[in-house]
Amino acid sequence: MATTTAPGAPAGAAPRRGWRRLPVVHQLRQSVGLQRGMLIAGLVLTGLLILTALLAPLLAPYGFNQLRDADGAFGAQQPPSAEHWLGTTVGGFDVLSRVIYGSRTALLVMIIAIAASLVIGVLLGLVSGYFGGWLDRVLVVIADAVYAFPSLLLAIVLAIVISGGQSSMWGGVLAAALSITVVFTPQYLRVVRAETIRIKSEAFVESARVIGASNGRIMLKHVLRNATRTLPLIITLNASEAVLTLAGLGFLGFGIEPTQAAEWGYDLNRAIADVTSGIWWTSVFPGLAIVLSVLGITLVGESLNDLADPRLRTRRASADVTGDVAATSVVPGGALTAPGGLEGLEPGTEATR
């Protein structure tokens, strides 16, 4: 079987377009102008959040609950210095270390909450949309009721039920993640349900039924793949909401104890009294970490949402065609050519037929 190669590539060279079809790379190549700038900025901020969370023990100068070193105690509310680049908190913790370790807590909540809500919501949406009937009506009513419930209030209730308001690292992470899961699940359920209802009437699904495929095989092999194409857009937007919900829990005093894990919302809560005293570093840096994390994830989600619009792809295709046409001279009867091609023409000469 003959293989095709890119123009100008050596004969027998393997195709090099595989990596260009990767999800993020593909969207980045589709983007133009402001969309590309927003997507790149979002990817950079999100990448910094992930790298900081993964490399927290290497980047943080101290532990998140460390109060002293070889020279003695750090001291409370110390201003930024060579020993503590971002100062210390009212509890005597290093601000930079807690900001760095706080990214790990935020990332854990995002992963657990989105993974759980994605699995539950997709499965319920498939079942609801494919079978319909009374089960569909019951699931839709429950989803609407849960979706109408305030997410932060639900998070507070679950945090109290699970851990009594104050908890260890995993207790606080699971309390926040479970509350976010309950809120996010109806979104995935409704999206997948609507797509399943549309797809199950397509010809290829009917053909699978005719040849004797079971309902489970049709749902997993034919419907699931086509019903989940828009979920990456929802995932990115929900990730930023997960960070805000976790910070809201900590700010209201229902988060993780400072000796168990670092959490940005709790540090902001403890820094409220410092603001009136002119101590700015204990609140500015945790708040800035929340803003940049949410901003980065939101920019990625909004950019992917815009790139899902076919009109943007049409504009990019039109720009490419315009560039090609501008470089080509077309006259009635065909293009002008010269012996040996246009490259052989001297500057200032005209091509003749």
Side-chain angles (χ1 to χ4, degrees):
M1 179 181 297
T3 58
T4 58
T5 58
R16 296 178 296 176
R17 295 182 60 85
W19 64 271
R20 298 180 180 180
R21 305 302 299 180
L22 294 175
V24 177
V25 177
H26 179 62
Q27 271 82 16
L28 189 59
R29 285 173 54 81
Q30 278 187 323
S31 62
V32 292
L34 180 61
Q35 245 69 23
R36 173 168 291 184
M38 291 174 55
L39 182 56
I40 292 176
L43 290 174
V44 169
L45 292 176
T46 305
L48 286 176
L49 171 65
I50 296 174
L51 287 177
T52 302
L54 295 177
L55 303 177
L58 300 178
L59 297 177
Y62 306 100
F64 62 87
N65 59 351
Q66 186 173 345
L67 294 173
R68 61 174 56 246
D69 58 8
D71 298 329
F74 294 154
Q77 300 173 327
Q78 296 297 313
S81 61
E83 292 79 16
H84 304 282
W85 290 0
L86 304 185
T88 60
T89 68
V90 65
F93 301 110
D94 182 70
V95 174
L96 176 59
S97 300
R98 290 192 62 83
V99 168
I100 292 175
Y101 274 99
S103 63
R104 172 172 289 187
T105 307
L107 187 63
L108 282 174
V109 170
M110 281 193 296
I111 293 175
I112 297 174
I114 293 177
S117 57
L118 186 63
V119 171
I120 299 173
V122 169
L123 291 179
L124 292 179
L126 278 174
V127 172
S128 177
Y130 188 83
F131 293 105
W134 65 269
L135 179 61
D136 178 44
R137 291 193 293 271
V138 170
L139 289 176
V140 170
V141 170
I142 295 175
D144 290 342
V146 173
Y147 190 71
F149 204 82
S151 59
L152 186 57
L153 181 59
L154 179 61
I156 293 174
V157 172
L158 288 179
I160 295 174
V161 170
I162 293 174
S163 58
Q166 292 290 333
S167 63
S168 63
M169 173 182 175
W170 285 108
V173 167
L174 290 177
L178 288 177
S179 62
I180 296 169
T181 297
V182 175
V183 176
F184 286 176
T185 297
Q187 301 181 27
Y188 298 107
L189 186 151
R190 295 182 68 88
V191 171
V192 175
R193 172 184 174 273
E195 289 296 312
T196 302
I197 294 175
R198 179 185 63 84
I199 294 169
K200 73 177 183 179
S201 60
E202 296 289 341
F204 65 90
V205 176
E206 296 294 337
S207 301
R209 289 198 188 99
V210 170
I211 64 176
S214 63
N215 288 329
R217 181 176 179 82
I218 293 174
M219 291 168 61
L220 296 178
K221 299 290 290 185
H222 301 287
V223 179
L224 179 61
R225 180 182 302 177
N226 295 283
T228 56
R229 293 186 177 182
T230 59
L231 293 186
L233 309 178
I234 306 175
I235 290 173
T236 53
L237 297 178
N238 285 349
S240 61
E241 187 176 347
V243 175
L244 291 176
T245 302
L246 177 64
L249 278 175
F251 184 79
L252 295 175
F254 298 98
I256 306 169
E257 298 213 16
T259 57
Q260 301 295 325
E263 201 277 305
W264 296 328
Y266 177 87
D267 290 343
L268 281 178
N269 174 272
R270 299 292 293 171
I272 293 177
D274 296 343
V275 176
T276 58
S277 303
I279 301 174
W280 53 270
W281 56 87
T282 57
S283 59
V284 167
F285 297 112
L288 187 62
I290 296 174
V291 171
L292 292 180
S293 300
V294 174
L295 177 63
I297 300 172
T298 303
L299 285 177
V300 173
E302 292 293 341
S303 300
L304 294 178
N305 189 32
D306 291 341
L307 290 175
D309 189 349
R311 292 174 295 181
L312 182 62
R313 294 195 295 271
T314 303
R315 189 179 72 178
R316 179 175 177 83
S318 301
D320 295 339
V321 171
T322 303
D324 295 338
V325 172
T328 307
S329 298
V330 180
V331 297
L336 296 178
T337 59
L342 292 177
E343 291 81 359
L345 290 177
E346 296 291 336
T349 61
E350 296 183 358
T352 58
R353 298 179 70 89

